[in-house]
């Protein structure tokens, strides 16, 4: 009898979890077709998918051979596209695993229409800045750690980016994934590297590249910070999309996809969100503008024009104006290209946010900080059960306290110098009190209540060019209005606090 009761209880829990998933699926279904295709997997679908993956993985790593006659630049692109296919398979696998653990589908295709990212675009809740749209340092390390030696053999100076042997490097570090996937053309021209190698398709030039970003999206903010710190504002141009998601095909009654659109500063017509509620919002906030490159209506148009129509219309995007292609839509990759590949044009060429001597340390910090903190806030927000939330908030609090402890004794998260890890950290701390504490239920901690972290944020905020990358009005408008009831909280005036003096220079 006891065993029967346990069995019944287990079945009820399964049905409850399936019901939660189905409710979420019904409310936030994929809007490209209007019929829910590509929506959140149910637990049973997740189990089936993972079982199929387990069977496929026994076949070993797929190691296709590149076509003959490719130039070095095209060969680099070919290899990175193979890596992208593996990353996409990992994303879906992680989505299935997250469903079974009780979280919303972080890699749900219907959400990937930013932040991300990085900021995504669709009608799904909490998705604009959900999980990173590409690999974190643990996945990217094999690619970038091999660059220096490859650059010398290819005649490229430091910061050159060739990745012919990424697979060999990744395998040596244990990062190569054993996957079986369909070798179909996917995400072409979105995993490329700018470099000066002979035959490279993308070479560093002034005025050739354009960045599409959202000031609300933390993944976009990373890119903007690196651009500002390196002094590339006059080298790589940018356009800031409107923070409130809109229908990307408003003339189609059946296409309900929602995402990033470009602003119209000349319009006097106020906006609501995509559900017709909230606002009225201005047709353009400060720094929003129309698309100067293609005259596009939305980021979806940019992707489709470039031949990338898989529904993941994210920001940031690094766009090559001369070829009409997307160089990259991965924030970590764009950050590192801006850091290393435009030094001949940069105002601050000596600044290296990912120096070779510090890369292991930077990657080690990112390995624990990303899942528990940067992405931890989203895990709290995505939690569908109390157990999932409790696990996530515990990890977040531990990471918060660890960061605070480290910064008590050193000025920056990896030591005495500002690095890429600080860029990653700052964008989360900046949004913590105003957004994550309330919207994602992360109120167990507060940056304003920590003298250490508040002073650290002041230090970064007051660096040349950083203040100009911040717009809390757009951040709050996006998070609170693109998905839900569109009521923006009054806020705590966090950015105003960053104007005050700090004494971080005295921290050893």
């Amino acid at each position: 009898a006891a065993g029967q009761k346990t069995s019944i209880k287990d079945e009820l829990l399964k049905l409850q979890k399936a019901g939660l998933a189905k409710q979420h699926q019904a409310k936030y279904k994929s809007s490209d077709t209007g019929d829910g295709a590509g929506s959140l997997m149910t637990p049973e679908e997740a189990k089936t998918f993972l079982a199929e993956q387990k069977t496929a993985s026994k076949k070993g790593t797929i190691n296709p051979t590149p076509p003959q006659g490719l130039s070095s630049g095209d060969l680099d692109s070919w290899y990175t596209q193979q890596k992208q296919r593996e990353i996409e398979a990992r994303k879906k696998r992680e989505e299935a695993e997250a469903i079974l653990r009780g979280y919303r589908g972080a890699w749900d295709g219907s959400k990937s229409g930013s932040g991300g990212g990085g900021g995504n675009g669709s009608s799904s809740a909490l998705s604009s800045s959900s999980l990173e749209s590409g690999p974190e340092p643990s996945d990217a390390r094999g690619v970038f750690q091999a660059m220096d030696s490859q650059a010398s053999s290819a005649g490229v100076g430091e910061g050159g980016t060739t990745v012919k042997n990424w697979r060999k490097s990744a395998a040596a570090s244990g990062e190569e994934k054993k996957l079986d996937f369909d070798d179909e053309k996917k995400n072409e021209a979105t995993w490329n590297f700018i470099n000066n190698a002979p035959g490279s398709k993308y070479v560093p030039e002034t005025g050739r590249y354009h960045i599409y970003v959202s000031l609300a999206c933390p993944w976009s903010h990373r890119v903007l910070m690196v651009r500002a710190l390196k002094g590339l504002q006059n080298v790589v141009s940018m356009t800031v999309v409107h923070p409130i998601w809109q229908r990307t095909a408003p003339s189609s009654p059946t296409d309900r996809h929602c995402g990033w659109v470009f602003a119209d500063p000349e319009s006097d017509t106020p906006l609501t969100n995509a559900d017709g509620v909230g606002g009225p919002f201005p047709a353009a906030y400060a720094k929003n503008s129309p698309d100067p490159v293609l005259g596009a209506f939305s980021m979806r148009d940019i992707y489709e024009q470039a031949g990338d129509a898989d529904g993941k219309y994210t920001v940031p995007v690094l766009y090559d104006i001369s070829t009409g292609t997307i160089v990259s839509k991965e924030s970590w990759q764009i950050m590192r290209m801006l850091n290393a590949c435009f030094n001949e044009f940069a105002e601050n060429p000596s600044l290296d946010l990912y120096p070779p001597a510090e890369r292991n340390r930077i990657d080690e910090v990112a390995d624990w900080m990303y899942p528990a903190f940067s992405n931890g806030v989203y895990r709290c927000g995505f939690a569908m059960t109390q157990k999932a939330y409790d696990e996530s908030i515990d990890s977040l609090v531990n990471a918060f306290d660890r960061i605070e402890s480290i910064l008590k004794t050193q000025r920056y998260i990896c030591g005495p110098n500002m690095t890429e890890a600080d860029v990653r950290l700052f964008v989360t701390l900046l949004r913590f009190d105003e957004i994550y504490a309330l919207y994602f239920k992360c109120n167990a901690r507060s940056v304003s209540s920590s003298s250490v972290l508040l002073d650290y944020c002041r230090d970064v905020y007051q660096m040349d060019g950083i203040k100009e990358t911040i717009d809390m009005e757009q951040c709050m408008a996006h998070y609170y209005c693109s998905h839900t009831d569109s009521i923006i909280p009054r806020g705590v005036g966090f950015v105003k606090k960053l104007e005050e003096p700090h004494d971080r220079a005295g921290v050893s």
Side-chain angles (χ1 to χ4, degrees), residues 75-142:
L75 191 61
D76 288 349
S77 296
W78 187 90
Y79 275 112
T80 53
Q81 287 155 17
Q82 302 305 109
K83 182 66 173 178
Q84 176 70 6
R85 293 185 179 97
E86 293 191 4
I87 294 298
E88 291 297 326
R90 177 177 66 82
K91 290 177 182 179
K92 189 171 182 181
R93 194 168 66 252
E94 288 183 354
E95 175 193 330
E97 292 169 349
I99 292 295
L100 297 182
R101 289 197 303 268
Y103 297 97
R104 296 188 177 101
W107 293 110
D108 183 6
S110 69
K111 289 199 292 289
S112 300
S114 174
N120 302 317
S122 81
S123 57
S124 295
L126 306 181
S127 61
S128 69
S129 306
S130 62
L131 297 178
E132 174 83 55
S133 60
E136 276 297 303
S138 59
D139 296 300
R141 189 177 305 143

Side-chain angles (χ1 to χ4, degrees), residues 133-433:
S133 60
E136 276 297 303
S138 59
D139 296 300
R141 189 177 305 143
V143 175
F144 282 91
Q145 296 287 32
M147 286 183 178
D148 291 337
S149 60
Q150 292 180 28
S152 60
S153 64
V156 185
E158 184 170 340
T161 50
T162 60
V163 290
K164 294 179 184 178
N165 298 321
W166 70 263
R167 187 179 294 276
K168 179 179 179 181
S169 174
S173 61
E175 292 157 9
E176 187 174 22
K177 312 296 181 185
K178 290 189 174 183
L179 297 174
D180 183 28
F181 51 79
D182 293 329
D183 188 22
E184 57 187 74
K185 189 173 183 180
K186 188 176 184 182
N187 285 329
E188 294 281 339
T190 58
W191 251 66
N192 300 285
F193 292 90
I194 295 172
N195 62 66
N196 277 316
S200 174
K201 182 178 181 179
Y202 301 105
V203 297
E205 295 178 22
T206 296
R208 173 172 173 174
Y209 300 99
H210 191 80
I211 295 175
Y212 293 102
V213 294
S214 164
L215 294 182
C217 169
W219 319 119
S220 289
H221 195 184
R222 296 173 170 187
V223 170
L224 290 180
M225 286 182 66
V226 175
R227 176 177 176 264
L229 290 168
K230 291 290 293 187
L232 294 172
Q233 293 92 328
N234 295 322
V235 178
V236 180
S237 54
M238 77 167 186
T239 298
V240 178
V241 296
H242 197 283
I244 308 296
W245 281 353
Q246 302 293 318
R247 294 271 296 274
T248 58
S251 61
S252 171
T254 60
D255 190 331
R256 297 182 56 81
H257 180 272
C258 304
W260 303 112
V261 301
F262 295 100
D264 182 3
E266 302 300 321
S267 174
D268 294 326
T269 304
L271 301 177
T272 62
N273 71 7
D275 294 326
V277 298
F281 307 112
Y285 287 80
K287 302 178 184 176
N288 296 156
S289 64
D291 172 35
V293 179
L294 300 173
F297 172 74
S298 68
M299 283 306 302
R300 178 180 180 176
D301 295 337
I302 300 293
Y303 274 83
E304 292 179 349
Q305 177 276 336
D308 186 342
D310 66 357
K312 299 180 179 180
Y313 311 126
T314 61
V315 291
V317 164
L318 178 60
Y319 187 84
D320 179 16
I321 298 172
S322 66
T323 62
T325 57
I326 294 173
V327 181
S328 179
K329 57 184 179 183
E330 314 294 349
S331 66
W332 66 268
Q333 192 184 60
I334 300 172
M335 287 167 64
R336 293 184 179 176
M337 282 190 279
L338 295 180
N339 177 62
C341 301
F342 293 90
N343 283 334
E344 60 187 299
F345 311 111
E347 294 179 10
N348 300 313
S350 61
L351 174 66
D352 189 351
L353 296 169
Y354 194 59
E358 299 296 325
R359 288 180 186 176
N360 286 337
R361 174 62 177 157
I362 294 170
D363 291 336
E364 288 169 3
V365 169
D367 283 346
W368 63 261
M369 190 170 68
Y370 170 73
F373 189 69
S374 300
N375 189 49
V377 293
Y378 299 101
R379 292 178 65 83
C380 292
F382 290 151
M384 295 174 65
T385 66
Q386 188 66 47
K387 181 177 183 293
Y389 170 77
D390 289 342
E391 292 173 352
S392 299
I393 194 67
D394 286 345
S395 295
L396 179 71
V397 166
N398 290 336
F400 189 102
D401 292 347
R402 182 176 181 180
I403 292 166
E404 184 179 41
S405 177
I406 291 171
L407 291 174
K408 283 180 180 178
T409 59
Q410 60 190 47
R411 186 169 183 178
Y412 300 109
I413 195 65
C414 289
N417 299 315
M418 174 85 170
T419 68
E420 173 190 291
D422 294 287
V423 174
R424 295 171 180 268
L425 173 58
F426 177 77
V427 298
T428 301
L429 290 175
L430 178 76
R431 291 162 174 78
F432 199 94
D433 287 11

